[in-house]
Every structure is written in structure tokens, then in C-alpha cells.
Amino acid sequence: MGIDFGSLSGRALLVDTSTGAEMADSMHSYAHGLIEETLPGTTEKLPPDWTLQHPQDYIDVLEQTIPDVIRKAGIDESDIIGVGVDFTACTILPIKKDGTPLCFLPEYKENPHAYVKLWKHHAAQDQANRLNEIAHRRGEHFLERYDGKISSEWLFPKVMQIIEEAPEIYDAADRFIEASDWIVMVLTGKETRNSCTAGYKGMWSKNEGFPSDDFFKSLHPKMEYVVDDKFSRTILPIGEKAGEITVKAAKLTGLAAGTAVAVGNVDAHVAVPACGITREGQLLMIMGTSTCHILLGTKEEHVPGMCGIVEDGVMPGFFGYEAGQSCVGDLFDWFIRTCVPEAYVIDAKAKGKNIHHYLREKAAGQKPGESGLLALDWWNGNRSILAETDLTGMLLGMTLSTKPEEIYRALIEATAYGTRKIIETFETNRVPIHELFACGGIASKDPFMMQIYADVTNREIRISDSAQTVALGSAMFGAVAAGKANGGYDSIFEAAKIMSKLKAIVYKPDPEAVRVYDRLFMEYVLLHDYFGREQNNVMKRLKTIKKETSKTINLKMKVIDSINMLPFP
Amino acid sequence: MGIDFGSLSGRALLVDTSTGAEMADSMHSYAHGLIEETLPGTTEKLPPDWTLQHPQDYIDVLEQTIPDVIRKAGIDESDIIGVGVDFTACTILPIKKDGTPLCFLPEYKENPHAYVKLWKHHAAQDQANRLNEIAHRRGEHFLERYDGKISSEWLFPKVMQIIEEAPEIYDAADRFIEASDWIVMVLTGKETRNSCTAGYKGMWSKNEGFPSDDFFKSLHPKMEYVVDDKFSRTILPIGEKAGEITVKAAKLTGLAAGTAVAVGNVDAHVAVPACGITREGQLLMIMGTSTCHILLGTKEEHVPGMCGIVEDGVMPGFFGYEAGQSCVGDLFDWFIRTCVPEAYVIDAKAKGKNIHHYLREKAAGQKPGESGLLALDWWNGNRSILAETDLTGMLLGMTLSTKPEEIYRALIEATAYGTRKIIETFETNRVPIHELFACGGIASKDPFMMQIYADVTNREIRISDSAQTVALGSAMFGAVAAGKANGGYDSIFEAAKIMSKLKAIVYKPDPEAVRVYDRLFMEYVLLHDYFGREQNNVMKRLKTIKKETSKTINLKMKVIDSINMLPFP
């Protein structure tokens, strides 16, 4: 069984270990959802950029979905040989030694720092800036694995925010723990730590461990022994068994006590074996509102703009590279929300078509390069390879006959150029990429876009055949935790051979389209470097002007009040 | 009386010479409109880029509108002391010596070259390219007055097209004449030529006359004596009297025979005195689908990117400078057509608001710089100052929260930056600009946009108070043709003092907005030069790719046919 915890809901999926067939699944939405305005039961407003969650929601997922899946599948609970868990990351909470979240205790339930800080809690930016500055000044070697920058979304900036803003929570917490590891603790009664979150979010590496106590002391005097006091230096590699279902957890979930539980994992990374990826040079794109790229390599190379490089972080024995594009599905949603004329909406409705579908059909009638348009896909900044949140979108080539579907296609192409730029950056840094794989909503539902990606990258693309690739990946790790002797597998590589699922279709590059896209990509790269590499910092300067005018100027168009605005034309 | 011939209709306006009061007007649409597909009575398709008109439509305007105005005003025809005529330009036709258009003759009525070539007939581009190339090779001095480039819209490329494609028409034509001069000929029975069209469209200057016979010979052997054979070297300055209404014209129009008629003029240029512009440094913006800028100067200076510099071309005794922005109202119409979401249209309807008005209200709530957006207004190329039709539009600064009204405002601002760039180019070339004036649909109906123009240019803007500024200007020239002794004026300067009309409102720059726009304009200039001055010719290269792929590649997304496209998300 795989249990997948997303940002708004969790789900359980039961998989037949001998075939990979998905037997039953169940989903449960978090009652508290994203806590961004006020804590439950209080009226005090949270500051901007906060995103919390309530750990009870995760317990509810276990309690609701697992029995539901067992019932639906009509099997005996003893037939379930292992459980794997994946979670969003870095999603952390402060707990007592026995695993009780601090926010469950009456004395802390009105303290926002006692709750789960979700991955997209962005209120620790000051702390992240300070951490980066200090680490650079000290010449900390670990920075290289993160391309010189620790994100405010990650572990230690979040811990720093707690120590600075709520020292009583810092003191009261026996442990800070990733939600993935906490769920494993709920199930097994044992605290374990996994190499994936520790590596990608916690500045840990297999070779070097955590940064030195001296470094942590330089962040905050009280943090000198933070690793030993609040974490653990024992990090289990992905693919290990964490423990077994306790009697208490068996009551909660309906699973049999003694069932094997895998070490925790991250929702994106766990998709890798579910797509059958087991070798170096196979890049997985997890495509949704944004795209996460994961690649296996056999050596640790410094690749500019990567989010992280972690040994054993994705598949044991490999270096897992992670990269990302911060705006993919979100960009198309913005376009639909902002730029689709009424006539199209009416026509789509009349034809009974979803507007995305309608636009794609129109855009599919165009040839590559025919619109004369080119975009930079930076509506939400550029994660890889520029790692610059203050970059913004750009579109050029418009004429008076430019149509909405041409802009739509140009935006899709821009995200494909962004992917190609990431691929080329890996390759110029001695990390080869031979094949592409994709999973997620876009990959399974948009063949038009996938064909453009194949043409732009000049590479074949294979698509996950599971609607729940991530949960399937967790189930595979569950089978590995159980082991071959118990009907599972002795390694994730073995499990991937049998249980992974790909669609029959392979998107193959069309040589004529490739030739046109090669020329367009050269133009993309020119503009990418012009706007992204400090040749013209206009995007950042416009953001500065935007911030300043929003704050300081109270301009009002007096003339608007004094004249009746006549309609025209 | 002023008679104004536009692209789709003509109108007559009767004005009281003692006050400028507009007493009556009448409009008549051309029965044949724009002839772009087939000639009247034929089925043969015209080639691409052709735009013809039928001269009978112009006669109909005289016959319909003038009696209508006299009737509406309830005056005696003898009270009308003078008539002025303005026309689109360069709009030319081949005629016999007596003024009969060749297309009126049965033997030529199926020959498209016998008709009027409207200003926007764009099929003489090859000829224009050749003319420019030869003139450059010969080091022809006249090129300087046109910033090195004769447009395909102008006189001699159009004549070259006739001599090359229809030599029989060239031979049969006793004269080629501007439609403005032809209407004056219809009214007065005399052939005259005006300094405005001769200067701006016919490569003529007061000082140097036409280019040499030798130059014309180098264009085509048969064109050596084209000026003497088909034109005239007698060019009357703007503000002169051309002649008087003939008995025949009196019958056609209901005007009294002997009424004074001014020499022909151009529709944009004639607006200058109607706005009370009589001094150097006063720039008029005629704002519609595109913007035409006209400025009086006291010296002939070479100003890069200008459309033309003509002594006596606008007001006698001054050098008239013309510049232009090829995409203004058209850009906002493109935006409305292409980028306004259904929700806005529904909301605007519910509130009973025109969508332009609705967007302007939303955009007026923003502060300068607040959107973080910046655009280059080149959707239809850049006329001044880059004179490059293959440039295209650009928009940058978009984020996932960018709203349609922010884009709308950014486009308005971009056209204002374009105007400021023109103003600064005049000034750096020793042609000062002290005051701005505006007329046309946008100027009178969009105070929001005019305030942005005042803020961006840091100059006061005054607005014509006539809904028919152009016809008013022609009426003023009619009053000057009549002369003071007959109740008119002895000069257009005198007429402008009394008959011109400006609104009470003056748009004054807001110092705080000016400060922000100064910074944004610096960014505009950087991008203007980067994309417009050969630093990165991406726009032209994209147009090349566009042309090539449209022609040569027949790509089809095979995968689209083979997979059912599921809607998402």
C-alpha cells in the first residue's frame, strides 16, 4: 500500500505486487486545508506568507482511507505486506519525544509556531537570506550541492524562524521532524529520518553529514547542537525498512500489526521507480502547476541552477539530481483566466468543449514558428537554471493579427524551451540525459503539449500509465520494505521492473519540427541570457519600481473625476 | 466650407468665419468603399496588398453633402465665401487632360491600374525598394528629407508600378494627380498642385524642386520626363487660392459659381491651424487607429525617423515635420478583440459600460509602475523613429497575478513612450517642442489616456474642441482662399486666431507620476534600442522563420489524431 500526502488531501492506494495492478484507492481531503488566515478556533490573523497545516488532518487520512481501501479491495488486511509513505517536503512540525505534535497540547494550541509549516510557508525568507549570507562568508562547502542557495522553504530557515519568533516552542519541542517521518513514526512508533528530505531539504549529505555545530552556532547561539538536540544523525537511505505497524497503529488503520513500513519519502521523488526509471540518464518530469525534474546520476557533479544533489536521495546507489520550473500548469491557467476572449468561451461552450481542449485544438493547427511569437516562461520567476524569483514573464513577436491560440502555444513552447535549457545544462556539466519520462496531470492529459516537448527537446518521451504515479511509487517502497521473502521485493530496482507502468505511446520528435525549434530555441537562449544573466536587469528594476510605487506614491488621476469618460470608439 | 475625404467616407462642414462655430455638416459613405477583392462589375481577383477606390464616390460626396449642408444651415449659397478640400494621401489616379479619370472610359474600366490607388495600396513595395536602392546608390540628396526611405505608399513607387504592370495606362494618362488636387480640378476646372502632397509624398521641395530627369530615367527609361509629361513643376503653397467654382461645378454642388476654392490639402496636416497651431515648437498628434505627428519648425533639420520635412507643407513660411506611430487605436482594439476575458465582458454588460470604458476605469485605479509591466508598441512595426515595418510587439513583467487592465494600461503607456521617443528625437536634433496638441477620436474621448501622455511626456496637452477638426481646418483654408475683402481672412494665421477651437481642459503633468514615468521610460529606451537598433534582431528573425515555415513545412501533429485529448485540469 502507498500512502501519498499532498498539499490539500491524502490518498491510499493498494497495488498487486506481482503485477503492479492498482486494486483500490481512497482519498480524504484535509479538514483544515491550508491554514493561511487564522488558526483554528482563533481570530488573530496570521502574518503574510504563512502557510500552516493541522497534523490531525494527516491522522484522519490514515484513519479514513486505509480501511476504505481494504474494504473496497475485499481483501484481508494480512494480505497487505508493506506500506510506503510519501509527503510534500519540506513540511515540518515540532513534536514531543513520543511523537505528540506540540499543537495537540492545550498550552500551545494557540501558538502558530506549534503547527505544521507546509512546504510553501514563505515567512522564513529573512532567515534564509541570513543563513545563505553566513554560509557564503564561511565558505561552507555544502552550499555547492544546492547551487549556492538554501531556499526559505527548507528545513533550517524554518527552524530559525521558530527559534527567533517563538523560542518557547523551540525549547518545548523535543524534535523537529518532516511530516513524512512523523507519519512513519505514527505507524511504527519509532523515530526514523530519511535520506531524501534530509538531503534535499536539510543540508545533509551521505558523505559529509550535516554542517558543523560551529556553523549552526553562527546562525544562532542556541542552535549549536541543534542536530543532536532536535534531529538525528542517523539517516536511513531510501528503500530501507523503517519498522512495523504497531498495535496502536493497527487499531487506527485496520492494517495488521507487524506489517512492514518503509522509510518516509517525498511525493515527487517517489514517482521515479513508478515510471520504471532505474538507470542514469533517465530524466523524470513531474508536470503539474509547476514541473519538478528528477534525474539519476552516477557521480556528484556541480550543475548550475539545480535544487539539490543527494546521494541515495531518490534511488539507492545513485546521486539524485533535482531541478524545477516554477510555472507550468499555472501559466496556462493564468492565460485561461486572463487572456481568452468571450467569443472563444462562447464557441467552446457551443461545441461542448473544455476551454483548454478548445485552445489546444486551435493551436494544434499551427506549425512551429508560424505565429512569430516567442516567450520567456518566467511568470513565477525562474527556478532552474537561474534560481531567481524576481524574474518575470516576457512575450514578443505580436502583430495586429496575433490570435489567442498563438499566444497559448507560445507559452507551452516557452515551458518546453525552459526544460530544454535544463537538459542542456545537465549535459554541459557532464550529467548525460538519454531519455525523458513524464507523469502528472499534464503528461497524461495533454498529448499536444507532450509532442511539443518531444520536438523541442529532440528526445523521446514516455508517460506514466498510472493516474496515481506517486502513490504507486510509495506502494513499491512498501513492497521493498516487506522484502522478497514476504511476497515483496528485495530492492526497489526489482520492484520497478514488475510494478512500474508506462503508456504504450511514445512521443517521438518530428525531424522537421526539430529543425524549426532548434532555431527558435537559439532565440530563446539569447533572450534567456539577456534578461536572466544581468545583461539587462529590467525585470528586477520593474519589480523595484512596483514595490516603491505601491508603497510611497498616492497618485490619483484627478482628471478622471472631473471629466465624464465617453465611450469610444 | 470644408470638405474632408477620408478612407471610407467624405463629409462637408459649414463654419461661421467670424466665430468658428460649426453650422451644419453632412456625411456620405463611399458606395464602393475599399476595392480590395475585385473591380466593380468583374470577378477577377485583385492581387494581395491592393487597395483601390472609385472616383465616382468622391463626386457623389460633392453632390450629396454640399447641398445637404446648405439646406440644413438654411443659408443662401452666396453666403458661402470659400471652400477648402482635404484628402487622404498619397491617393492618386490617372486622368485625361480634361480631368476625366481613365476608369470612367469604357476601354479602361476593367483595368485595375485605371482606378484610384488609395494611400494604403501596398502593392508597390518592389518598386519602392528599387527606387530607394537606386537613389542611395546615386547619393540623391532628396532622401535626407525622408530619413533615407521613400515609402511604397507614396507617389513615384505607385507610378512605377503602373509603368511596369500597365504601360498602356501610363501612356493613356495625360496626368497622374493626387485626389485632393483632382477634386479641386473638378470644382475649379483648373489643374493645380499643392505643396503638401508634392512635398510629403512626391519627393518635391520648394528649394530643390523634383529630383532630376536623370534620376527618373534611372528608375525607368520611359520616366525620364515624367514630371513634365505627367505632372507639373508649378506647385502652389498651402493657403493659396486654386481657383473658383465653375458653372458646371455649381450645378453639381449647389455652390455659387465664382466661389473661391483653396489648393488641396492632406487630412492630417489641415488639422494644424484648426487646433490654433501657428508657431514653431507646437506638436499636433492626430490620434486614431494610428497617430500622425505634425510639428512646425523654422529650419530644415535632418531628424532621424521622420516621414518627411516640407517647407510650406503645413503652414506657409514654416517647415512642416511629419512623424508617425503606426499602431495606436489599432493596438487597443487588438487587445479588446484578443485578450479580454469573458468575466470582464459580462461584468461590463451588467454595469451597462462600453468595454473600453470599463477597462479604463479599472486601469485608472492603478498607479504608474504598479503593474511592473512594460511594452514596446510595435504590433504594426515602428514608423518613427526606427522606420522598420518588421518590428513586432513585446510585453514583459508578467506574473501570475497580472490582470488584463494592467496589460491594457501598459499598452497605452507604451504608445505614450513611443510619442516621447519621437519628441526627444526632434529635440536632440535641434527642433524644439514646447507644447502638445491632440485631436482625433482618442484625444477627445479618452481623458485617462491623455493624462498618461501628459505624465509620460512631462508636457501640457491641449485638445481640439471640434468633433471634425480636419473639416474645420479645410473650411479655414477656404476662408483664406476667399480673402479678407470677401469676409474671409488674408492668411491662415489670421483664420486660426478666430476659427480654431480648443477644449477648456488642459492635461497637466503630475510631478509624482512624471518621476516614475521617467524611470520607466529609461527602461523603454533600453529595450527600444536593444530590439530596434540591431543589437538583437530576434523580431526580424522570427518573421523570417514565420514566412519560411508558413511556406515550406507541412507539419501535422500526428499524435493529436491518434489520441483522444482529455480535458484538463
Side-chain angles (χ1 to χ4, degrees), chain B residues 360-416:
Chain B
R360 264 182 272 152
E361 278 194 343
K362 278 184 175 283
Q366 301 160 37
K367 301 167 194 170
E370 200 181 4
S371 72
L373 297 176
L374 187 66
L376 292 174
D377 50 319
W378 300 345
W379 267 246
N380 196 20
N382 176 298
R383 176 50 256 187
S384 302
I385 57 168
L386 299 169
E388 187 53 75
T389 53
D390 277 342
L391 294 173
T392 52
M394 193 228 50
L395 179 67
L396 69 71
M398 290 81 83
T399 71
L400 290 172
S401 33
T402 296
K403 295 194 185 68
E405 62 269 27
E406 294 177 318
I407 299 177
Y408 184 68
R409 182 172 176 138
L411 299 183
I412 291 173
E413 290 169 344
T415 67

Side-chain angles (χ1 to χ4, degrees), chain B residues 326-349:
Chain B
S326 37
C327 185
V328 181
D330 273 352
L331 177 55
F332 313 133
D333 285 337
W334 173 85
F335 177 80
I336 297 290
R337 211 164 59 234
T338 316
C339 302
V340 178
E342 186 193 27
Y344 278 40
V345 178
I346 290 170
D347 194 33
K349 274 184 196 154

Side-chain angles (χ1 to χ4, degrees), chain B residues 137-149:
Chain B
R137 211 171 50 217
R138 293 170 54 96
E140 292 288 342
H141 178 63
F142 71 85
L143 279 175
E144 271 188 25
R145 296 195 303 274
Y146 308 99
D147 195 40
K149 206 173 198 170

Side-chain angles (χ1 to χ4, degrees), chain A residues 142-210:
Chain A
F142 71 85
L143 280 175
E144 272 187 26
R145 296 195 305 272
Y146 309 99
D147 196 40
K149 208 172 197 170
I150 300 302
S151 163
S152 71
E153 289 182 359
W154 296 352
L155 179 58
F156 285 104
K158 281 174 171 158
V159 171
M160 284 168 75
Q161 194 196 2
I162 295 174
I163 209 170
E164 291 174 12
E165 297 179 11
E168 70 283 8
I169 296 292
Y170 185 85
D171 293 338
D174 292 326
R175 285 289 188 258
F176 293 104
I177 193 163
E178 282 279 353
S180 55
D181 293 329
W182 181 67
I183 288 293
V184 169
M185 193 176 180
V186 168
L187 293 173
T188 64
K190 280 166 60 184
E191 180 191 340
T192 56
R193 306 278 177 161
N194 74 79
S195 58
C196 185
T197 51
Y200 287 106
K201 314 297 176 183
M203 313 192 302
W204 171 89
S205 89
K206 187 177 177 182
N207 236 340
E208 303 181 0
F210 284 100

Side-chain angles (χ1 to χ4, degrees), chain B residues 209-395:
Chain B
F210 285 101
S212 67
D213 291 347
D214 194 52
F215 168 71
F216 284 114
K217 188 180 171 189
S218 72
L219 296 182
H220 192 286
K222 278 177 73 174
M223 279 178 75
E224 181 170 7
Y225 303 111
V226 64
V227 175
D228 294 301
D229 285 356
K230 308 286 185 185
F231 294 93
S232 163
R233 295 196 189 270
T234 309
I235 308 292
L236 297 182
I238 291 306
E240 292 285 294
K241 177 176 166 181
E244 292 166 359
I245 297 288
T246 60
V247 173
K248 191 177 164 195
K251 271 193 204 135
L252 177 73
T253 61
L255 290 165
T259 306
V261 178
V263 298
N265 215 323
V266 176
D267 55 357
H269 304 65
V270 81
V272 166
C275 293
I277 293 177
T278 55
R279 293 197 306 272
E280 78 164 328
Q282 298 179 314
L283 177 80
L284 174 62
M285 305 180 284
I286 300 120
M287 303 175 77
T289 54
S290 58
T291 293
C292 177
H293 310 74
I294 300 182
L295 174 68
L296 302 183
T298 51
K299 289 170 300 188
E300 181 174 312
E301 299 284 359
H302 173 64
V303 183
M306 296 306 105
C307 311
I309 302 158
V310 178
E311 192 175 356
D312 294 345
V314 179
M315 296 283 276
F318 284 99
F319 289 88
Y321 291 84
E322 184 186 335
Q325 284 176 272
S326 37
C327 185
V328 181
D330 273 352
L331 177 55
F332 313 133
D333 285 337
W334 173 85
F335 177 80
I336 297 290
R337 211 164 59 234
T338 316
C339 302
V340 178
E342 186 193 27
Y344 278 40
V345 178
I346 290 170
D347 194 33
K349 274 184 196 154
K351 292 178 172 144
K353 285 178 184 166
N354 166 296
I355 188 68
H356 279 277
H357 189 163
Y358 179 83
L359 280 167
R360 264 182 272 152
E361 278 194 343
K362 278 184 175 283
Q366 301 160 37
K367 301 167 194 170
E370 200 181 4
S371 72
L373 297 176
L374 187 66
L376 292 174
D377 50 319
W378 300 345
W379 267 246
N380 196 20
N382 176 298
R383 176 50 256 187
S384 302
I385 57 168
L386 299 169
E388 187 53 75
T389 53
D390 277 342
L391 294 173
T392 52
M394 193 228 50
L395 179 67

